[in-house]
Amino acid sequence: MSDNSLRVVWVYPDLLSTYGDQGNVLLVERRAQQRGLGVQRVDVRSDQPIPTSGDIYLIGGGEDRPQRLAAERLIRDGGLNRAVDNGAIVFSVCAGYQIIGKEFVNDLGERQEGLGLLDVVSTRGEAERCVGDVLADIDSSLGLPQLTGFENHQGVTHLGPEARPFARVHFGQGNGTGDGTEGAWHDTVFGTYMHGPVLARNPLIADHLIKLALDVNALPPTNDRWYEALRQERIAAATAPA
Amino acid sequence: MAGNTEPLSPRARLAVTAGRAAAAVSRAAGRGSGSVIGGKVALRLDPDLLAQVANHLDVVLVSATNGKTTTTRLIAEALRANGEVVSNALGANMPAGITSALAGGSTARYGVIEVDEKYLAGVAKDVTPKAIALLNLSRDQLDRAAETRMLAERWREGLSGQKAVIIANADDPLVVWAASSSANVVWVAAGQEWKDDAWSCPACGGVLQRPGDDWFCAECGFRRPMPSWALSGNYVLDPHGSAWPIQLQLPGRANKANAATSAAVAAAFGVPPQTALERMYSVTAVAGRYDVVTYRERDIRLLLAKNPAGWLETFSLIDAPPAPVILSVNARGADGTDTSWLWDVDYSRLAGHPICVVGDRKLDLAVRLEVAGVEFEVFDSAQEAVDACPPGRIEAIANYTAFQDLRRVVGN
Ligand SMILES: [Zn+2]
């Protein structure tokens, strides 16, 4: 960490901030501030260089053309890959998740190179769009409670040997491969299809990112009354028959 | 131009009659006005019906993400200065509802028609409009996957080759992109508070530069056109530079923008700005929106806000603190089932207001407000929320079905 504050980088809000995933940035900021941490939030537009000294990089979902433009500009810039080489944390959602993989199918129907930060390859699904509440168990090695989120995508993401599934779904589609996996992670890089935004429904994931950044095992407790109430409601909604 | 000079074809007449019968059955069954189901029956009998019922009318189409119902009302009032108007005033804005509304106006001279964004190109092809007003485009109902730029693209394709005069907002890059395929555009500087759907150049994907009120793309040269009409504070500036006062009963900057666009539309039909704007004063509530209802000894103003751009405009018009605010959000089919958009609304703007949270998705709102760092209380019903507020004015802001629920509760 540079100086004493947590550096949170919001990548390309001009292209990848269409589905409320900005909430993930607000969650990390809020949860850190509640622990008395200073937070320096940096919003980086796609005509600006990605700083390499950030602690946590957040990437959201976007529409198909902006996704293609974002991947092109991130590869040209190179900053995000350098940041990860330095140990930075990346948490990315939906279109952002596909971009940080090895390859995805863009709005022109072409296979396009991603950043290669995760060993995943995405294609466009033939089936109907996956839309709705999701309930899943997060990889037990992360020590996190059940994942609740809202999915809204047509992508299918296949995991290679270097990536672990972030979660396994009970309800919903997740990666869309039919094997029950949802999202992927490796070391400090995470990808998911979950909106909601996902950190608002799963604040302990935000805490996990902060702990990774601080290299600590625990954070002071917070009053999570409303988060808990929302989680219970959405978990019940996901399990209820449609 | 005016009057019912060309009678409907026998088949179209049959279709209209069948549609009315279906609407009557629907009404009798307690399913609302029946205008949509009537139009659906009629369209099935004669797919050319929409073209035929519009045949004798000078048609104006109005489309946008936000403000199309209100603007349709304002334009209808303005054009009544010159003749009878038929309009889908209740907001049934897809082809069936439009057909049904137009079929009811056999003696009218003008048809002023609100059109759902997704149907604009098709309806414009069917009814050969004289004018098309385009106000704004922004994110709405994300689970339906109608991407905002794709909508602009569809408008652009549908409008190229249109003979209608397009009256379009020069301050919304997506609207400008859509309209500029047409040869005949009247640009209105109507403003657009919400900017987050147009940072990316719709033409080339470059990053738009936005110094002050201007905008341009440094990469391809796509830029804000020179407007001939403008909203300037409480005035509409016409192409001759004359300033005409806006006197609306409807609140807010967005409605002033709607009035400016409406004045430009009216002028295209020969109604002078002064006449048009004076007539707009008569518009008060539009389908319950902006209505102030007395309920349990409080005066509750009903405000509809369906998407981030709508909430942003609504926050700018409510009374200052300590006016209490009731917020209600649902996520039923008509609202869009994804509530993630709440995070694109800057609720920290409500700091200082007592905030009461209700609606199906009150817990999503509670977490949103908690993270925004504003104080709030959650209630199980609108009635409990109202009772918790002191006597006087309450601003109630709700999204689509939550707004309908709220109207029922307060007896509007
Ligand atoms: Zn450009």
Side-chain angles (χ1 to χ4, degrees), chain A:
Chain A
M1 275 204 308
S2 49
D3 55 58
N4 272 326
S5 56
L6 191 69
R7 297 240 308 171
V8 179
V9 181
W10 180 216
V11 176
Y12 292 179
D14 55 322
L15 295 175
L16 299 171
S17 182
T18 309
Y19 296 93
D21 300 319
Q22 169 177 206
N24 293 334
V25 190
L26 298 173
L27 253 294
V28 171
E29 269 188 290
R30 174 79 174 167
R31 306 283 296 179
Q33 281 162 350
Q34 282 178 315
R35 274 55 177 259
L37 295 164
V39 177
Q40 207 185 329
R41 169 175 166 176
V42 188
D43 291 11
V44 184
R45 264 180 13 179
S46 67
D47 59 348
Q48 298 168 329
I50 301 276
T52 54
S53 58
D55 299 303
I56 300 174
Y57 292 75
L58 294 154
I59 312 177
E63 300 179 344
D64 294 344
R65 184 170 89 147
Q67 180 187 27
R68 167 168 53 90
L69 299 174
E72 285 169 3
R73 290 171 197 175
L74 282 169
I75 287 177
R76 202 187 314 145
D77 180 85
L80 190 60
N81 290 64
R82 284 199 297 280
V84 171
D85 288 344
N86 295 338
I89 295 144
V90 177
F91 187 85
S92 62
V93 176
C94 204
Y97 168 35
Q98 295 189 352
I99 287 174
I100 65 166
K102 289 185 160 166
E103 185 185 289
F104 64 96
V105 175
N106 66 21
D107 61 321
L108 309 173
E110 297 162 351
R111 287 154 60 158
Q112 182 174 341
E113 187 189 2
L115 298 187
L117 296 172
L118 275 181
D119 182 14
V120 302
V121 169
S122 300
T123 57
R124 200 168 298 202
E126 299 296 318
E128 268 188 40
R129 214 174 160 81
C130 307
V131 181
D133 276 293
V134 173
L135 180 62
D137 285 328
I138 297 178
D139 188 329
S140 59
S141 66
L142 292 168
L144 289 164
Q146 278 191 310
L147 175 71
T148 157
F150 190 95
E151 64 183 335
N152 177 13
H153 66 97
Q154 196 146 20
V156 174
T157 297
H158 299 270
L159 275 57
E162 300 282 303
R164 294 177 61 148
F166 181 61
R168 295 201 174 263
V169 297
H170 294 290
F171 296 91
Q173 300 303 316
N175 286 327
T177 44
D179 62 0
T181 64
E182 154 30 44
W185 73 287
H186 175 75
D187 202 7
T188 59
V189 178
F190 301 84
T192 176
Y193 274 112
M194 297 299 105
H195 299 285
V198 65
L199 298 187
R201 289 187 179 199
N202 304 275
L204 295 188
I205 300 178
D207 289 0
H208 182 74
L209 303 178
I210 296 167
K211 284 192 264 185
L212 279 176
L214 301 176
D215 198 15
V216 297
N217 290 324
L219 292 171
T222 49
N223 178 352
D224 289 349
R225 172 189 172 200
W226 292 113
Y227 298 103
E228 270 311 314
L230 174 63
R231 284 178 60 77
Q232 293 318 314
E233 180 196 281
R234 296 332 298 165
I235 288 170
T239 55

Side-chain angles (χ1 to χ4, degrees), chain B residues 60-63 120 124 129-134 159 162 164-168:
Chain B
V60 184
L61 302 180
V62 182
S63 201
L120 178 68
K130 288 272 193 313
I132 302 175
L134 307 176
L159 297 179
Q162 259 287 337
V165 54
I166 315 289
I167 291 104

Side-chain angles (χ1 to χ4, degrees), chain B residues 37-382:
Chain B
I37 190 166
K40 271 188 186 149
V41 170
L43 274 181
R44 207 175 303 135
L45 280 171
D46 185 350
D48 295 330
L49 185 61
L50 180 53
Q52 289 207 38
V53 294
N55 197 328
H56 69 287
L57 297 165
D58 284 354
V59 171
V60 184
L61 302 180
V62 182
S63 201
T65 304
N66 289 316
K68 52 190 178 288
T69 306
T70 306
T71 304
T72 298
R73 275 291 300 277
L74 295 174
I75 293 171
E77 280 316 312
L79 292 187
R80 281 196 181 103
N82 274 9
E84 193 185 328
V85 171
V86 61
S87 180
N88 53 343
L90 293 176
N93 61 13
M94 295 186 229
I98 294 168
T99 304
S100 178
L102 290 186
S106 57
T107 60
R109 174 174 178 183
Y110 299 109
V112 182
I113 302 298
E114 167 187 342
V115 190
D116 181 279
E117 307 89 278
K118 293 182 281 305
Y119 292 92
L120 178 68
V123 172
K125 202 170 294 162
D126 284 347
V127 304
T128 331
K130 288 272 193 313
I132 302 175
L134 307 176
L135 314 176
N136 53 67
L137 274 176
S138 69
R139 62 190 65 179
D140 187 39
Q141 298 199 1
L142 297 173
D143 58 332
R144 303 261 165 94
E147 301 191 347
T148 312
R149 201 196 70 94
M150 288 305 293
L151 270 179
E153 197 68 53
R154 254 190 274 168
W155 280 13
R156 183 176 168 84
E157 284 164 20
L159 297 179
S160 75
Q162 259 287 337
K163 291 204 178 64
V165 54
I166 315 289
I167 291 104
N169 186 357
D171 292 319
D172 185 330
L174 285 167
V175 166
V176 172
W177 171 246
S180 52
S181 67
S182 165
N184 187 9
V185 189
V186 174
W187 299 110
V188 182
Q192 165 83 321
E193 291 270 293
W194 173 261
K195 302 199 168 18
D196 287 354
D197 285 304
W199 281 108
S200 188
C201 172
C204 79
V207 178
L208 286 186
Q209 309 300 316
R210 287 173 165 261
D213 292 334
D214 196 13
W215 57 262
F216 64 91
C217 172
E219 293 188 30
C220 75
F222 178 62
R223 63 179 312 133
R224 180 178 185 263
M226 185 63 79
S228 49
W229 291 74
L231 170 67
S232 176
N234 289 319
Y235 293 85
V236 175
L237 305 180
D238 73 14
H240 310 290
S242 306
W244 305 98
I246 299 172
Q247 287 162 306
L248 285 178
Q249 298 194 64
L250 301 171
R253 190 214 69 85
N255 283 322
K256 292 189 177 107
N258 296 338
T261 302
S262 301
V265 171
F269 290 90
V271 179
Q274 185 173 2
T275 310
L277 289 163
E278 279 171 8
R279 294 188 64 86
M280 292 177 209
Y281 182 77
S282 67
V283 178
T284 51
V286 179
R289 301 158 202 194
Y290 313 112
D291 241 351
V292 179
V293 180
T294 304
Y295 171 72
R296 300 177 81 83
E297 292 152 45
R298 277 83 168 168
D299 297 321
I300 302 172
R301 179 154 64 167
L302 301 173
L303 300 165
L304 174 70
K306 294 186 283 194
N307 46 51
W311 284 79
L312 186 65
E313 294 283 7
T314 303
F315 289 165
S316 71
L317 67 81
I318 60 176
D319 285 358
V325 178
I326 295 176
L327 306 177
S328 185
V329 169
N330 290 349
R332 301 175 198 163
D335 305 305
T337 54
D338 186 357
T339 53
S340 301
W341 60 269
L342 289 171
W343 295 79
D344 290 328
V345 179
D346 181 11
Y347 286 97
S348 66
R349 286 185 170 222
L350 293 179
H353 290 276
I355 301 172
C356 305
V357 174
V358 297
D360 294 352
R361 301 305 289 270
K362 51 184 178 284
L363 296 178
D364 290 78
L365 253 177
V367 169
R368 176 69 191 93
L369 294 168
E370 152 79 24
V371 171
V374 297
E375 292 191 20
F376 61 92
E377 273 190 89
V378 177
F379 297 90
D380 285 330
S381 72

